[in-house]
Amino acid sequence: MHPAGLAATGPPRLRKWPSKRRVPMSQPGMADPHQLFDDTSSAHSRGYGAQRAPGNLGYPAVSASPQAAFLTNPVSDMAMAYGSSLAAQGKELVDKNIDRFSKLKYYFAVDTVYVGKKLGLLVFPYLHQDWEVQYQQDTPVAPRFDVNAPDLYIPAMAFITYILVAGLALGTQDRFSPDLLGLQASSALAWLTVEVLAILLSLYLVTVNTDLTTIDLVAFLGYKYVGMIGGVLMGLLFGKIGYYLVLGWCCMSIFVFMIRTLRLKILSEAAAEGVPVRGARNQLRMYLTMAVAAAQPLLMYWLTFHLVR
């Protein structure tokens, strides 16, 4: 083309290239194509779901510890509940044992004065007038403050002494052997157990409401060993005559003691219930009291007659 032609047509036109459309950065789900790395400082960055907690200086909050995750597990909740129930049961068991120990401790709250007065009452109960057990705020006072209160110290010591005296009597007769001494002790315990069970069954059949407990019965029934010891010792010193005289006196004494003691425990409850004195049920209670008292001399003789020759 001629240069003149170019000059006539004017300046040359510039070619327009298609403009690139920019994707706004605020559009969700899209990233800047010129950005090489993800922005980890954003709360919605890809792959980072931790949110910044206030006061953490911009760092993501620390995830829960394994212990906290375990505590939120239902299995751990069941384990904690089971452990709590076991702890409650253990505490209840300990409380019961402490309560039983405190009740048993009451029967050993004695002193020398009480033991002397009680032994005198067991041997000479005829002059004693007041047989009522003293109470303080609906609770019986300790035996060392009331000679009428039952205790386990004298029955326990009397039982051990009876076994020792029986061994002495067998030794003086050249009949001692450990087996025979063990048989003597087991026989005494067996008869005591039979007595307690028989009385409890009789009280149940007669429907007697009384404050007598099993420990009370063991205490009252164990007092007969005092008379048995006296009878055997007198038999060793003075022969059968001394044995029968002392044992006979102790048998009458324990009979009177049991009558006057159990009468207040069994018949007084009947009077409080308004049962007539000559009623059928009251007569059964009187017979039961007489039977328990009469059984003591028989057992005292049965357990000692073979020890004196």
Side-chain angles (χ1 to χ4, degrees):
M1 183 177 296
H2 195 272
L6 293 173
T9 58
R13 295 181 179 180
L14 297 177
R15 186 176 178 180
K16 294 183 178 180
W17 296 90
S19 62
K20 295 181 180 180
R21 187 179 61 172
R22 298 181 178 274
V23 180
M25 293 302 296
S26 60
Q27 185 176 356
M30 301 297 293
D32 188 359
H34 298 285
Q35 187 175 353
L36 298 178
F37 303 97
D38 292 335
D39 185 7
T40 59
S41 63
S42 175
H44 299 283
S45 298
R46 189 185 313 171
Y48 295 88
Q51 297 182 358
R52 287 180 296 178
N56 286 341
L57 301 179
Y59 293 99
V62 181
S63 60
S65 61
Q67 291 83 358
F70 174 76
L71 292 177
T72 58
N73 193 345
V75 178
S76 66
D77 295 340
M78 295 177 60
M80 292 181 62
Y82 183 69
S84 300
S85 64
L86 285 180
Q89 292 177 3
K91 183 178 180 300
E92 183 180 358
L93 182 61
V94 171
D95 293 340
K96 288 183 179 179
N97 290 332
I98 292 177
D99 185 49
R100 291 177 181 177
F101 177 76
S102 62
K103 290 181 179 179
L104 189 62
K105 184 179 178 180
Y106 161 82
Y107 292 92
F108 288 92
V110 300
D111 55 9
T112 306
V113 177
Y114 168 81
V115 173
K117 290 182 179 180
K118 194 73 170 188
L119 292 177
L121 181 61
L122 292 173
V123 180
F124 302 99
Y126 311 102
L127 302 179
H128 192 64
Q129 300 297 328
D130 185 13
W131 293 85
E132 291 283 349
V133 177
Q134 300 179 11
Y135 284 82
Q136 183 178 7
Q137 296 179 355
D138 297 334
T139 303
V141 299
R144 63 174 175 266
F145 301 118
D146 183 15
V147 71
N148 296 322
D151 72 284
L152 286 178
Y153 177 80
I154 293 178
M157 294 297 103
F159 177 80
I160 296 174
T161 307
Y162 160 70
I163 300 302
L164 296 177
V165 171
L168 177 63
L170 294 174
T172 56
Q173 301 169 13
D174 296 331
R175 295 188 298 138
F176 177 81
S177 67
D179 295 336
L180 189 58
L181 188 63
L183 180 62
Q184 193 74 22
S186 60
S187 299
L189 285 177
W191 279 109
L192 181 63
T193 304
V194 170
E195 281 186 281
V196 173
L197 294 178
I199 295 174
L200 291 176
L201 180 60
S202 300
L203 293 175
Y204 174 77
L205 295 178
V206 182
T207 63
V208 176
N209 295 324
T210 178
D211 57 352
L212 272 175
T213 63
T214 304
I215 303 179
D216 291 337
L217 292 176
V218 173
F220 289 131
L221 298 176
Y223 288 138
K224 63 175 171 287
Y225 295 116
V226 175
M228 295 164 59
I229 294 171
V232 175
L233 287 178
M234 291 300 103
L236 293 177
L237 295 176
F238 303 104
K240 287 189 175 182
I241 297 178
Y243 165 75
Y244 284 114
L245 288 177
V246 175
L247 186 67
W249 177 270
C250 293
C251 287
M252 291 187 297
S253 299
I254 197 66
F255 179 81
V256 174
F257 174 83
M258 295 296 290
I259 285 290
R260 294 185 177 180
T261 302
L262 295 181
R263 177 175 57 86
L264 296 176
K265 293 290 186 179
I266 298 177
L267 298 181
S268 62
E269 295 292 335
E273 296 173 0
V275 179
V277 177
R278 299 189 178 276
R281 293 180 59 185
N282 201 15
Q283 292 293 329
L284 290 176
R285 293 170 179 173
M286 294 177 62
Y287 294 150
L288 176 61
T289 304
M290 295 288 293
V292 174
Q296 305 310 302
L298 296 177
L299 290 173
M300 291 171 65
Y301 175 75
W302 176 258
L303 293 173
T304 56
F305 78 96
H306 60 281
L307 298 175
V308 179
R309 289 186 176 179

